[in-house]
Every structure is written in C-alpha cells, then in structure tokens.
Amino acid sequence: MGNRGMEELIPLINKLQDAFSSIGQSCNLDLPQIAVVGGQSAGKSSVLENFVGRDFLPRGSGIVTRRPLILQLVNNKAEYAEFLHCKGKKFVDFDEVRQEIEAETDRITGSNKGISPIPINLRVYSPNVLNLTLIDLPGMTKVAVGDQPVDIEHQIRDMLLQFITKDSCLILAVTPANTDLANSDALKIAKEVDPQGMRTIGVITKLDLMDEGTDARDILENKLSGSCYIGVVNRSQKDIDGRKDIRVALAAERKFFLSHPAYRHMAERMGTPHLQKTLNQQLTNHIRDTLPGLRSKLQSQLLSLEKEVEEYKNFRPDDPTRKTKALLQMVQQFGVDFEKCIEGSGDQVDTVELSGGARINRIFHERFPFELVKIVFDEKELRREISHAIKNVHGVRTGLFTPDLAFEAIVKKQVVKLKEPCLKCIDLVIQELINTVRQCTNKVLVGCDFCRILCISNLGSYPRLREETERIVTTHVREREGKTKDQVLLLIDIELSYINTNHEDFIGFAKYVIRKGWLTINISIMKGGSKEYWFVLTAESLSWYKDEEEKEKKYMLPLDNLKLRDVEKGFMSTKHIFAIFNTEQRNVYKDLRQIELACDTQEDVDSWKASFLRAGVYPEKDQDAAPTDTFSMDPQLERQVETIRNLVDSYIGIVNKSIRDLMPKTIMHLMINSTKDFIHSELLAYLYSSGDQNSLMEESVDQAQRRDEMLRMYHALKEALGIIGDISTSTVSVPVPPPVNDSWIPEASRPPAVRGPTPGPPPLNPSPAFGAPPIPSRPGQPVNAFSNSSQDPFSAPPQIPSRPARVPPGVPSRRPPGAPHRPTIIRPAEPSLLD
C-alpha cells in the first residue's frame, strides 16, 4: 500500500485551501485537486453522493450546480459536515446541508439560474470516505433557460477552463453510457487542455440504462482511448425519489457488475468503491509529483510572512507601552507619507493618475493661469469706460494729451477682478491638501506580495486615531486658509496702491508701437525719386528710419488732423498706393501736401489702413467707418482711447505675471509648508491632549481578524512544510515474487509474445482485473490480489499505477485438476485470424 505519510497530504491540501479562503484571497499555489466536469444530468451529483453515502446535493431540472462546490472528504470516526462560511457549525442532518448549499448559491447568484465563479467550501467527515478533494462544477449546457444570460454556455465553459487548465488539476470526466462517447462534452473539453489524457480519469455512468444487446466493454477495457475509464451504476430517479439507501444502492451496483456477462471479468475494478480508491491514489500520486514545486512555493510564502509575524510575536493589544510606541510610529510615518505625497518620491509611484503635489502643481501652473485668462473684457464696454474716464478727467476743458488718471482708474478696476480667481486657486489647493491627508491616513500598507495584510503601525488599523488625526490636520489647514486668503488679498491691494508705469516691461505712452514695417515714399524724380524706409506707427506719431535698426530717424509726423485717401497706381507701377494728407491744408512732409506710401500687395495696404484706424487716422469722407462703440466723432479722443486701451493691456499683463509668480509662493509658505511643520512638530501633542490614549489606540475588529488569519496562515504554512519534510517522495510496495523457472516448457507450448510495445510501465502487481495475464505463482499462494476487496470495499487502496497500462485482455490459466502441486503452465489462447 502507499506510504502513510503520503495519505496525510490530502488533509494538508484541504487545510491550505481553508487558510487562503478564510482571508478572502485566491490560492495562487495551484494546489493539486480533482475537478468534476460533465454535461447536465450526466450523473456527477450521484457519483459524489455515492462517495459520501448520503443525499446532500441539490436536485432538480436544468442547471442545479451554479457555483463551484469544493468538496473535501475527510476520513473520520464521527459523521458530520462543515461549511467554511459557517465556521464552528456542524451539520449532522444532511438535508440541512442541501438547504444550506441552495441558500448560499441563491445569496450570490439569485434565483434566476445564473452562475458565479465564487466557490462554496464544504467539508464532510465520515468513516465511509477516503481522503479526497473534489470540485463539483456546473454542468455544461447549450441553451439558456429562464432568466439566464444568452451566453450561459460560454460562461460555464470559461469557468471550467479556469480550473482544469492548471497542470496541477486532475479531471474527472463524467459521461453517461447511453450517449455516444464521441459526443461527450466532458471528454471534449478535457481533450483541449489534456491532449495526452495524462490528467484525465473517465467515469462511465448509467451502464444499466444501455439498450439491450449493447455494452461499454471496449471503453472500460481502455481499447478505444488512452485514458483510464471506470464504470459506475448510480441510483435511478425513481430510487432517489423513493429515498433508496445509498448502501443498498452500492450493493446493487456490485451485484450488477458481478452478474453482467460483459463486465463480470472486470468487476473488481468497476464501481464506486474502486473509483474512490483510484481517485485517492491518483490524487496522492499527483501530490507526490508536485511536492518539490509545492515545497519551494510554500517556503517563499513563509519567508514573505516571517517579517510581519515577527512584529506580532510579543503582541499584546492592551500593553500601554506598545500603544505609545505604535502612536509615535504612526504619527512619524504619517508625516513622512504626507511629505512624500507633496514633494514627490521615487518609491510607490502612481502611474494611473496624478495625486498630491502633482495635482497642486497643475493648479498652480495650469488651472490658475487659465482662470486669469478667463477674465473676459467686454471690448465695447471697456472702450466706453475709457472714453468716459478721459472726459471726466478733463472736465470742462478740452484735453490735448492723454490723461494718466484715466489710465490708472481703468487699470485699478481691472486689477480688482483678479481677486476672484486668486481665492478660487486657494480653495482648490485646500481641497487637494485635505484629500492628501485622507489618502495618507487611509493608506493600506501591503505587508507582502502573498496576501494583503495591514501593517501594525498603520492608521487604518485604528479608526478612532485616524478620525482624530484627520480632524486635527484639517482644522489646521482651515486656519491657515484664512491667513493665506488675507495675504493674497493684501498682494492685490499692494498692486492697487501704486501703478508703476516705469516698469521695464511696460510699453509706456511714448513707447507704444502699433505697427512697424517697410513702406515706399513715392516722390517725383525731380524731388529725389521714390525711396524705401522703415516706418514705425505709434498712437501719437508716424516715424520713418533709414533701416530697421531705428538708429537714423528721417522724420516724425504727428497724427493730428491726418487722414487717408486711396491713390490709383501709375501705368508702369506695380505697387499699390495710399496717401496721407492734412485736413487743414498744411504741408505733411517738406513742401508736400500729401505723401504717397506704396506697398507690394493690396493686402499690405489694407493692413496698414487698419493700423492707422487704431491710431485714430480715418479715411477721407468715411468717418462713419470709425468705431461707434466710443460714442465720439473726435479723432483725437479716439486716439486717446486706443492708447489707453493698449496701455491697460500692457500693464494688466505685468500684474498677471507678478500674481502668477507670487500666488504659488504665498500658498506654499503660508499653507503647505506650515501644514508639514505642524504635522512633524505639533500633531503628536494635539493627539495627546485630544482625549484618552486608550480610546485613540483601540484596534479595529477587522485588523484583529486579519492578524489572526495571518498568524493562522503562517502556522499552516509551517505545519505544511513540516509534514512535507517528513514525507518520503517514494512509495512502499510489496516486492514482486521471483520469476518462475520455465526453461522446461517446450518452445511450442509457450505463449506468443504480445505484438507491439506495451504503452506505459507495467503494473507492479497485475491481476486479472486489469486485463493482463496472471503472473505464475508458487502453489498455495493466492492469485487474485483483490480477493478481500469484496469483504471490505473501503479498505486501504491497492498499489496501482498512476495510469493503467493498455494491454490485451488476459486469459485465465488452465491448471490440470490432477496435478495440484505442479508449476503453473500458461497455455496460449485460441489462435486468431491475425496469427
């Protein structure tokens, strides 16, 4: 029989599955297990109930199994069942087990026949079972019924593949005998993930329902496939409705195989008891094969947990020294985390979204400038205000120059509008600061990459402390908010207190330039001819220079009383021309009443005319084209309005630049840096003075539960490694008797050799139940290795290979009745057509 230590591996696997499931984490160790697959009504539930010897699975039409059921069978003297989601409750009545399965299924999937991949863990203790772990999966279907989704077939298929794709999973493919084996859904999906059939064990059900004259002998003798097939006979629906005892059904099953002419020669390796033994041995052997990899994974997981467990070795929740130390550690860690969120850090970089300091930086340099740009000036209203300001400054007098007071009045009115976006910027930064504080207090520290465990010094472990920390820091931020807003408003008032027209970036009254460019002055040849100059147009004058360096000024023409007129170009000229003249019939340039300016294209002419319009120089007989939004027909006033309008733009640009620079500095100094200093130097004192330390350091229920679960998992891993270390990866088997000396047998009487190589290793102790010829034995020794199996169907499993070898059916030995003490002679079978 197998090594006893090997049999203890299956309970160990069950313990590991429970340890991982209890903390809500999926087991990433790929523990060896057996998945039961098959079509609807193939008999999967009946096979599992025969293992247990009880009726405990839901019955009905359509999809009954709608969640994976992890069934752990444990050999035990007492008989009861336990659910992982009902810890501590023992179910003695198996009708209640069925009701609990149905209720737990409906809790997740509802009553609309939907499915869910969340498993139900059920452990059954019984003296009638062998240690096994099976996963009952939903039956494969083709058509959606009721409220099921239309893709129910694909959902079930994907769920099955999640389990059977893993190399550590054995596949128990259940197929009814009264259907064509080639159309078996279970064998088809098993073939996809296990083409060689090395992990697949076939179960043929409903052998008693086959048509008369047909049988499954070829399938069960493994002549049609390389997989191992075992036949079983389940209870009929009539037997189930009549609550026929499963023990009676097992006796009827054995009687069926012993009495059926097609199966009587293989009855010892048919039926539910043999299937259970085979699965136990196959699962044990599979665990043995995966032990090296499982051991290394367990060791790596144990190492990853040791650091966390080390902190809990001397853990006492009510120790005041521990609470004081934990409080100091958490406040210090909170300050470090907050500073890293604001200043940035190279560790734990978030690649999904911006957070902390990055979001505040975006407010400073993207959102706040955008809010400043959003201040839209109504051009018509602004020009009206400038015009009224100029007139009110002049009073009853007619002004000859552009008044400074009008400029200052308009600038101050525009600067006041900057208060709103500045205060809004502060509000946005405060919101990000509060979010950062909450992010740091709710931060979940991952203790290891194996499972999510909260660190002992994490604020999330102490809800009262977390709330108090958030309250104290948020209150401080709100206090700094008032001081920061007062300082920002003070900056605006400082800008209003003095209008610095000597700023280096301010264009000034004299420096304001509307346009620059090359123009040609058309003069007759008698007076010197046409020449090209560099022209500079301002709000007060038109000047031209020798070149664009503007070092040698040729002339400056005041814009007072000037107007424009169109001039037709000459016959031989290729340039487009317009003229400037004085409305009071004075000379414009030297002795010229008008000067003609020429451009290369008509577009340049139109552009220059538009620039002259901005300077208050309008076309002849076309003053209606002057802007009407100033409500003035005075060209001089129009020039003054245009001048102040452009000067306001220049100065507001300077103020915006200054505010954009000072706002981040003010907020950083008065709010963000102050908050960091407060956390590092004063937060701990505020926490001590806020209330009782014991109430602050009261641990959350979830944290205590997580700690207990982590310790249980740690001890389970240590126990698993201890058990694996004591187990030999080799099995102990009964030695084969020495070969019989058959040299005296004539050559002609010897049996012919089997043609072709026999696939797979030969069994260690073959018997007629496996279809191989019996090994000649000494007189008096029993030939049948399973002679006692009929008396004790649940005895220790025989030593069988992990994959039954395909060999021709055996031929019983023929012993002459008169020679009981002669050596056994194996005679050849009847000659076949192949011979």
Side-chain angles (χ1 to χ4, degrees):
M1 61 177 292
N3 188 345
R4 183 62 183 171
M6 294 298 294
E7 297 179 5
E8 296 176 357
L9 277 182
I10 296 179
L12 169 64
I13 298 299
N14 296 342
K15 186 181 299 183
L16 287 177
Q17 285 179 333
D18 288 349
F20 300 139
S21 299
S22 63
I23 59 174
Q25 301 295 327
S26 60
C27 175
N28 58 354
L29 287 176
D30 291 342
L31 299 177
Q33 53 196 3
I34 301 176
V36 185
V37 298
Q40 289 187 21
S41 303
K44 303 190 305 300
S45 299
S46 297
V47 171
L48 297 179
E49 288 181 339
N50 288 348
F51 287 168
V52 178
R54 295 282 187 173
D55 291 318
F56 68 96
L57 293 176
R59 298 277 184 174
S61 60
I63 298 181
V64 179
T65 304
R66 294 183 284 131
R67 288 177 59 185
L69 176 66
I70 300 179
L71 179 61
Q72 300 173 355
L73 305 181
V74 181
N75 187 270
N76 190 54
K77 293 181 179 180
E79 186 177 30
Y80 60 92
E82 289 181 344
F83 286 95
L84 186 61
H85 63 272
C86 299
K87 293 183 179 180
K89 183 178 181 181
K90 295 183 178 181
F91 292 80
V92 181
D93 187 354
F94 281 81
D95 288 336
E96 295 182 1
V97 174
R98 179 191 303 108
Q99 296 172 4
E100 181 63 27
I101 293 175
E102 294 174 346
E104 180 65 13
T105 301
D106 292 340
R107 186 179 67 85
I108 298 296
T109 64
S111 57
N112 61 347
K113 299 294 182 181
I115 66 172
S116 170
I118 303 176
I120 300 175
N121 291 67
L122 172 63
R123 178 175 293 179
V124 176
Y125 298 84
S126 174
N128 302 323
V129 301
L130 295 178
N131 292 334
L132 269 181
T133 300
L134 304 105
I135 303 177
D136 187 19
L137 297 171
M140 288 175 282
T141 183
K142 299 291 184 182
V143 181
V145 296
D147 296 333
Q148 291 177 347
V150 293
D151 62 340
I152 186 69
E153 177 184 2
H154 300 289
Q155 289 187 21
I156 295 178
R157 175 181 171 83
D158 293 341
M159 185 190 302
L160 299 184
L161 291 176
Q162 289 179 6
F163 288 90
I164 66 177
T165 303
K166 302 175 181 177
D167 293 335
S168 60
C169 179
L170 297 178
I171 306 171
L172 188 65
V174 181
T175 303
N178 55 358
T179 60
D180 189 358
L181 194 66
N183 296 328
S184 170
D185 294 330
L187 294 178
K188 180 181 178 182
I189 195 172
K191 192 76 172 178
E192 293 180 11
V193 298
D194 183 28
Q196 303 300 326
M198 302 303 296
R199 297 189 288 117
T200 303
I201 302 172
V203 177
I204 308 298
T205 62
K206 303 183 181 180
L207 291 170
D208 55 333
L209 301 182
M210 297 186 70
D211 295 337
E212 187 176 355
T214 61
D215 58 61
R217 177 174 178 176
D218 291 342
I219 299 173
L220 296 177
E221 289 180 348
N222 302 324
K223 292 182 179 180
L224 301 181
S225 175
S227 300
C228 170
Y229 289 93
I230 299 175
V232 297
V233 175
N234 299 325
R235 293 177 299 169
S236 64
Q237 189 62 44
K238 180 179 178 181
D239 296 336
I240 295 173
D241 295 338
R243 304 187 69 83
K244 182 178 181 179
D245 188 73
I246 293 182
R247 294 182 178 85
V248 177
L250 292 177
E253 178 189 48
R254 179 165 181 78
K255 182 179 178 181
F256 170 82
F257 285 113
L258 288 173
S259 60
H260 198 287
Y263 310 129
R264 64 178 61 169
H265 69 286
M266 62 179 85
E268 297 300 331
R269 61 184 183 90
M270 293 291 113
T272 301
H274 179 72
L275 174 61
Q276 192 172 180
K277 294 177 185 178
T278 302
L279 292 179
N280 174 269
Q281 188 65 41
Q282 291 283 0
L283 182 58
T284 302
N285 291 341
H286 197 58
I287 295 175
R288 177 196 63 195
D289 296 337
T290 59
L291 270 182
L294 181 62
R295 181 188 292 109
S296 63
K297 287 186 178 180
L298 288 174
Q299 289 173 344
S300 64
Q301 310 305 350
L302 187 65
L303 289 175
S304 64
L305 281 179
E306 281 183 349
K307 182 179 179 181
E308 297 295 329
V309 174
E310 186 69 23
E311 299 179 359
Y312 292 114
K313 277 189 175 180
N314 301 317
F315 181 78
R316 288 180 296 172
D318 298 329
D319 185 7
T321 305
R322 183 200 63 82
K323 292 183 178 181
T324 302
K325 181 180 179 181
L327 179 60
L328 292 173
Q329 289 178 346
M330 283 184 286
V331 171
Q332 182 180 6
Q333 186 63 41
F334 172 69
V336 172
D337 291 341
F338 181 80
E339 188 165 356
K340 284 184 177 181
C341 287
I342 298 298
E343 302 294 340
S345 171
D347 57 339
Q348 299 179 0
V349 177
D350 189 356
T351 59
V352 178
E353 61 179 359
L354 297 179
S355 61
R359 295 179 67 90
I360 295 176
N361 178 73
R362 189 172 68 173
I363 293 174
F364 285 158
H365 302 295
E366 294 182 21
R367 185 67 184 272
F368 179 58
F370 175 72
E371 293 294 333
L372 295 179
V373 174
K374 278 175 58 178
I375 302 178
V376 179
F377 300 114
D378 186 348
E379 190 67 26
K380 181 178 179 180
E381 183 64 25
L382 181 58
R383 288 183 176 272
R384 181 184 291 110
E385 291 176 358
I386 295 174
S387 175
H388 292 166
I390 293 173
K391 292 178 180 179
N392 289 332
V393 168
H394 289 159
V396 297
R397 300 181 301 275
T398 300
L400 300 178
F401 305 100
T402 304
D404 294 353
L405 294 178
F407 163 73
E408 290 190 8
I410 299 300
V411 165
K412 290 181 179 180
K413 190 172 183 180
Q414 303 306 319
V415 170
V416 171
K417 295 181 179 179
L418 299 178
K419 292 184 178 181
E420 182 179 351
C422 290
L423 297 178
K424 185 175 182 180
C425 175
I426 297 176
D427 293 335
L428 292 174
V429 173
I430 289 176
Q431 188 61 45
E432 290 301 331
L433 272 182
I434 294 175
N435 292 340
T436 303
V437 170
R438 291 174 179 170
Q439 177 185 350
C440 293
T441 55
N442 295 328
K443 184 178 180 182
V444 177
L445 302 180
V446 181
C448 60
D449 58 357
F450 179 57
C451 57
R452 295 179 181 268
I453 301 296
L454 287 177
C455 178
I456 185 174
S457 59
N458 177 29
L459 283 172
S461 307
Y462 305 93
R464 179 77 175 84
L465 177 61
R466 184 187 67 242
E467 294 173 2
E468 192 65 20
T469 302
E470 289 182 4
R471 184 190 66 80
I472 293 174
V473 178
T474 302
T475 301
H476 175 78
V477 171
R478 292 298 182 186
E479 291 176 356
R480 304 304 300 177
E481 173 189 5
K483 295 182 180 180
T484 306
K485 288 185 176 180
D486 291 342
Q487 184 65 32
V488 170
L489 294 178
L490 179 61
L491 291 178
I492 303 297
D493 292 338
I494 291 173
E495 292 289 348
L496 293 172
S497 64
Y498 179 68
I499 306 301
N500 182 18
T501 56
N502 285 328
H503 194 280
E504 59 182 2
D505 295 332
F506 184 57
I507 59 174
F509 285 91
K511 294 188 293 182
Y512 175 62
V513 176
I514 298 177
R515 178 159 187 171
K516 296 180 180 182
W518 290 98
L519 288 175
T520 301
I521 299 179
N522 282 343
I523 302 177
S524 65
I525 299 177
M526 299 298 296
K527 296 183 180 181
S530 301
K531 289 185 180 180
E532 192 173 22
Y533 296 99
W534 179 258
F535 279 77
V536 177
L537 176 63
T538 67
E540 302 292 336
S541 64
L542 176 65
S543 304
W544 53 91
Y545 300 81
K546 179 180 179 181
D547 51 34
E548 60 267 21
E549 293 182 1
E550 301 181 10
K551 292 182 178 180
E552 184 179 347
K553 182 184 291 187
K554 293 297 184 181
Y555 193 76
M556 185 183 73
L557 176 64
L559 299 183
D560 295 334
N561 302 320
L562 294 184
K563 284 191 176 183
L564 303 177
R565 66 163 56 126
D566 295 327
V567 177
E568 294 184 2
K569 63 180 181 179
F571 177 72
M572 299 296 293
S573 176
T574 59
K575 292 183 176 293
H576 300 268
I577 305 171
F578 68 96
I580 301 176
F581 68 97
N582 192 301
T583 57
E584 297 180 354
Q585 301 300 321
R586 295 178 181 177
N587 293 338
V588 177
Y589 175 55
K590 295 183 179 181
D591 58 347
L592 299 177
R593 292 296 180 91
Q594 72 174 21
I595 55 174
E596 297 181 358
L597 303 177
C599 303
D600 292 334
T601 63
Q602 184 62 39
E603 288 77 8
D604 291 340
V605 172
D606 296 336
S607 178
W608 273 102
K609 286 183 178 181
S611 299
F612 277 105
L613 285 175
R614 291 181 59 191
V617 180
Y618 302 112
E620 181 184 20
K621 300 179 182 179
D622 194 18
Q623 288 199 0
D624 294 338
T628 59
D629 50 7
T630 59
F631 301 98
S632 173
M633 304 299 290
D634 183 3
Q636 183 177 356
L637 179 61
E638 293 303 324
R639 286 196 301 274
Q640 294 176 354
V641 169
E642 180 66 25
T643 299
I644 292 179
R645 174 69 183 88
N646 292 287
L647 293 176
V648 168
D649 278 347
S650 176
Y651 195 83
I652 291 297
I654 296 172
V655 174
N656 284 348
K657 184 178 179 181
S658 176
I659 293 297
R660 285 202 307 268
D661 180 62
L662 290 175
M663 275 292 294
K665 296 177 180 178
T666 304
I667 295 176
M668 283 295 299
H669 175 67
L670 295 177
M671 184 178 296
I672 299 177
N673 291 340
S674 174
T675 303
K676 289 192 296 185
D677 295 339
F678 174 81
I679 292 174
H680 285 297
S681 60
E682 301 182 42
L683 175 60
L684 186 61
Y686 273 87
L687 286 173
Y688 272 115
S689 62
S690 62
D692 184 15
Q693 181 184 355
N694 292 327
S695 63
L696 283 178
M697 299 302 296
E698 184 176 350
E699 190 179 29
S700 66
V701 178
D702 293 340
Q703 169 64 10
Q705 182 178 357
R706 288 189 184 96
R707 183 180 63 252
D708 294 340
E709 290 172 350
M710 183 192 68
L711 292 175
R712 284 199 302 268
M713 182 172 58
Y714 174 78
H715 293 303
L717 288 172
K718 287 191 66 175
E719 182 182 357
L721 286 173
I723 294 176
I724 291 177
D726 296 338
I727 291 175
S728 172
T729 57
S730 61
T731 57
V732 180
S733 57
V734 178
V736 180
V740 178
N741 184 7
D742 58 354
S743 59
W744 58 272
I745 302 178
E747 292 293 333
S749 302
R750 294 192 181 189
V754 180
R755 298 184 177 181
T758 302
L764 296 177
N765 191 13
S767 66
F770 287 90
I775 298 177
S777 60
R778 294 179 178 83
Q781 290 182 343
V783 176
N784 188 359
F786 298 99
S787 59
N788 296 327
S789 62
S790 61
Q791 300 174 4
D792 185 13
F794 295 101
S795 61
Q799 180 64 27
I800 62 175
S802 59
R803 180 66 55 208
R806 296 179 57 193
V807 296
V811 179
S813 63
R814 300 176 181 177
R815 182 186 299 276
H821 300 291
R822 294 177 58 188
T824 303
I825 301 176
I826 301 177
R827 300 185 181 275
E830 295 295 331
S832 64
L833 295 178
L834 296 177
D835 295 328

